[in-house]
Amino acid sequence: MQLTPRHRLLILAATLVGMGINRFGLAGAPMTTVAGFSYTQYREASDGIYVRSPLFWLLAPLGDAASVELSGTVDSLSGASPIYDYDRMSAASFKEHRKAADVKVTGYGENFDLGVKLALSSENDYKSTGVGIDGRLYLNNKNTVLNLGLGYASDNFDDYPLDIHGSIHSREVLLGITQELTPVDIVQSNLSYALDNGYLDDAHKFTLNALGFIRADQRPEVRHKWAWLTRYNHHFADWNASSHLDYRYYRDSWGIAAHTVEASWYQGIGEDWTVRPSLRFHSQSQADFYVSEITSPIPFDASLSSDYRISSFGAFTPGLKVVRKITDNLSLSLSGEYYKQDNDWYLGGEGNSNTPMEASIVTLGMEFVF
Amino acid sequence: MKISPISLGLALLLLTGCATVEPWERGYLARKDMQFDPDPMEPRVKQGIYNSKEGAAGGYGVGGGGCGCN
């Protein structure tokens, strides 16, 4: 992954933002450097995809009115991805690496902060460059925070064996509010809108019909996406515990509507241990052009896809995380989650994915405060 | 489901008039387990997985790049 002149200009701009902001206050500036490392193993059932993902993360102050946040990962992927949404009878085997890194510089004023972010990722046939600007305004004795975020990503897909090439441009805006309600209650609500346009097909997926003929994945070149996320945290002082409850409603121009709920309970045990059970539920409807197989003639220029990811299904993800404070500076964590999709869990009736998938996710983590 | 922008905006504005939390009352809110993302690495991993296996994404932040994830 090479830094182009445009990348260097963005990094310079981010640095200048951090240096130029009013230095009178520290609306949320970190005081110390924190570094983290995690290692995640993701494994799908039925000989699906296997991913090992080490991740490095760092947050450090730059003087007393700015900070820098870095992260980087190299995913090792292998296994088989279904070509047809048809009981996984056929699958494309692959083995590849995906590298990703991002850097964010934030400047802090007395009642606001402003950050600029650059994100890069690269894999065999896919490269992405993303930038974002994220501003926060603190009001009402800092009980209220207004957040405005703007993002842009430019992706390129180049599959030379298949001789398929395309690009995708994504623009996103987010407007949010965070409100402290009481000394033990805080809520956040974010509305986002994103527009993707370009090559949105999946070149590695096909739809089968009963006679064995296949059609390539073909999707609209434009996708409008809306998401409304609300998060609520409450602290139970007598129990040394906190609860998190998140709900997101999603809708897009492809016809997908989704509800996602996530609940977590952080239980402190003594001074050094935290145990966190969690449960996530997701239900989505299918895209308008999704079919599990072709059973009637479809015009050649019509959108068509059998990708299970845009079918209708529900999914539960129970999880458990344990955090152990080793010293005042070092903590270790171990978490396990099991993700399972099922047509019976779709809130709108019977889902129609022919290849509902399931996977285990295990993560070992470490955080060090300097 | 249609969301009226006006009613949503009014609801959010009402929140700003809620009881004020004084700086000396913020001890519990400053706890790590009261942050929306107590572990900053976790959403990077989990949202990447969910976004690559489901048809819905967004609401958490901007500026991330894409991937050709299967």
Side-chain angles (χ1 to χ4, degrees), chain A residues 96-222:
Chain A
E96 62 182 51
H97 296 280
R98 174 180 167 258
K99 301 182 283 285
D102 60 77
V103 57
K104 182 178 180 181
V105 175
T106 304
Y108 300 88
E110 188 172 351
N111 289 304
F112 69 94
D113 59 61
L114 184 65
V116 178
K117 179 179 179 180
L118 172 67
L120 303 171
S121 82
S122 172
E123 52 201 278
N124 286 356
D125 54 5
Y126 201 100
K127 290 177 175 41
S128 174
T129 303
V131 295
I133 294 176
D134 185 27
R136 265 177 289 275
L137 183 64
Y138 298 80
L139 304 170
N140 188 24
N141 198 24
K142 294 183 181 167
N143 277 214
T144 306
V145 184
L146 298 181
N147 177 214
L148 173 65
L150 301 170
Y152 173 78
S154 174
D155 299 356
N156 288 290
F157 172 72
D158 293 289
D159 190 316
Y160 289 98
L162 294 178
D163 195 25
I164 297 175
H165 309 274
S167 63
I168 303 168
H169 299 275
S170 304
R171 297 162 184 82
E172 187 174 12
V173 57
L174 181 145
L175 187 61
I177 181 169
T178 303
Q179 177 70 45
E180 295 174 346
L181 300 175
T182 74
V184 293
D185 294 279
I186 186 167
V187 66
Q188 180 181 90
S189 198
N190 298 332
L191 267 173
S192 70
Y193 166 73
L195 170 63
D196 296 343
N197 66 322
Y199 184 80
L200 302 181
D201 307 344
D202 189 327
H204 301 133
K205 289 200 161 44
F206 302 87
T207 301
L208 199 63
N209 75 359
L211 298 176
F213 294 110
I214 62 172
R215 279 271 303 271
D217 192 279
Q218 190 167 309
R219 310 184 190 194
E221 291 185 344
V222 176

Side-chain angles (χ1 to χ4, degrees), chain A residues 44 128 141 143 244 284 309 339, chain B residues 21 26 33 54-55 66 69:
Chain A
E44 290 183 5
S128 174
N141 198 24
N143 277 214
H244 290 208
Q284 66 177 54
R309 294 172 294 179
Y339 177 87
Chain B
V21 178
R26 290 205 171 104
D33 63 2
E54 298 170 347
C69 302

Side-chain angles (χ1 to χ4, degrees), chain A residues 207 215 289 291 293-305:
Chain A
T207 301
R215 279 271 303 271
F289 51 88
V291 294
E293 64 172 332
I294 301 171
T295 55
S296 57
I298 295 177
F300 250 111
D301 60 351
S303 295
L304 177 75
S305 176

Side-chain angles (χ1 to χ4, degrees), chain A residues 328-351:
Chain A
D328 285 342
N329 299 86
L330 176 66
S331 64
L332 300 178
S333 65
L334 178 64
S335 72
E337 290 170 305
Y338 199 81
Y339 177 87
K340 182 175 167 64
Q341 296 174 352
D342 194 307
N343 288 337
D344 290 339
W345 297 337
Y346 168 51
L347 289 176
E350 184 71 20

